[in-house]
Amino acid sequence: MTNRFKIPLSVLVVIHTPQREVLLIRRLESDPAAPPFWQSVTGAKDTEDEDWAITAAREVWEETGLDCRTGGPLQHNLTDWALENVYTIYPRWLHRYAPGVTHNTERVFGLLVPEVCEVTLAPREHTHYCWLPYSEAADLCFSPSNAEAVLQLMHMPSSHEEERA
């Protein structure tokens, strides 16, 4: 039986090329007056003991169709950046969490893809995607923690090979 509340433990996965181009996806918004909500791949753990990397690979697969799950072609390109953000959950999403839960812990990962590619969005979650240079992507991110994570790419050489998790 699935818990009806989200677990306040989530991942943020910055998908990028060696040239530091970043994939952003636009969240489906029920309020037509709301500004566009661009982000990297995000998602909560299914269970509290689910491994962070399993959560990250599952969310990437569900939201983009890129396969970095165990046995997938990109499995060795998923890297745990060993960064965690704790933030206050926006009031508009508090109803998704158990009563009294006000903060979420977000673990940051990177996924290196060889080049800009097409992705398959989850239509119930996202409407558009784009690839942008990392500085432009950071400017477009709705979430400050997402923008900060994208900006971590400026510390990586453009032709880098990330260390494997």
Side-chain angles (χ1 to χ4, degrees):
M1 182 171 162
T2 304
N3 186 342
R4 65 184 196 122
F5 295 115
K6 284 184 73 164
I7 297 169
L9 299 169
S10 66
V11 294
L12 169 71
V13 184
V14 177
I15 300 173
H16 64 94
T17 68
Q19 294 75 33
R20 298 182 295 217
E21 295 161 294
V22 174
L23 174 68
L24 290 184
I25 51 182
R26 184 175 173 181
R27 192 164 202 64
L28 179 65
E29 182 55 63
S30 58
D31 178 0
F37 189 110
W38 288 93
Q39 64 182 69
S40 293
V41 167
T42 62
K45 286 186 169 193
D46 280 346
T47 62
E48 288 196 32
D49 63 347
E50 182 177 43
D51 184 88
W52 287 113
I54 298 297
T55 304
R58 175 177 46 78
E59 289 295 333
V60 167
W61 173 251
E62 290 173 1
E63 295 186 12
T64 69
L66 297 173
D67 194 358
C68 59
R69 299 171 299 171
T70 301
L74 298 170
Q75 79 172 19
H76 298 295
N77 296 33
L78 181 67
T79 304
D80 185 340
W81 287 0
L83 299 170
E84 286 187 3
N85 302 305
V86 177
Y87 61 85
T88 302
I89 299 166
Y90 288 103
R92 66 193 273 191
W93 291 313
L94 280 173
H95 69 278
R96 297 178 178 175
Y97 298 87
V101 173
T102 59
H103 288 79
N104 184 72
T105 299
E106 172 183 79
R107 183 79 175 201
V108 181
F109 284 78
L111 176 61
L112 178 64
V113 296
E115 60 190 359
V116 167
C117 59
E118 290 189 29
V119 299
T120 303
L121 297 176
R124 296 181 66 174
E125 292 187 54
H126 301 96
T127 60
H128 298 83
Y129 73 89
C130 64
W131 288 92
L132 295 169
Y134 76 94
S135 59
E136 291 177 38
D139 288 342
L140 194 56
C141 290
F142 176 84
S143 159
S145 65
N146 194 163
E148 289 173 19
V150 167
L151 289 174
Q152 291 297 312
L153 292 172
M154 74 173 59
H155 303 295
M156 298 176 190
S158 61
S159 61
H160 78 283
E161 288 287 326
E162 291 185 335
E163 289 184 41
R164 304 301 178 229

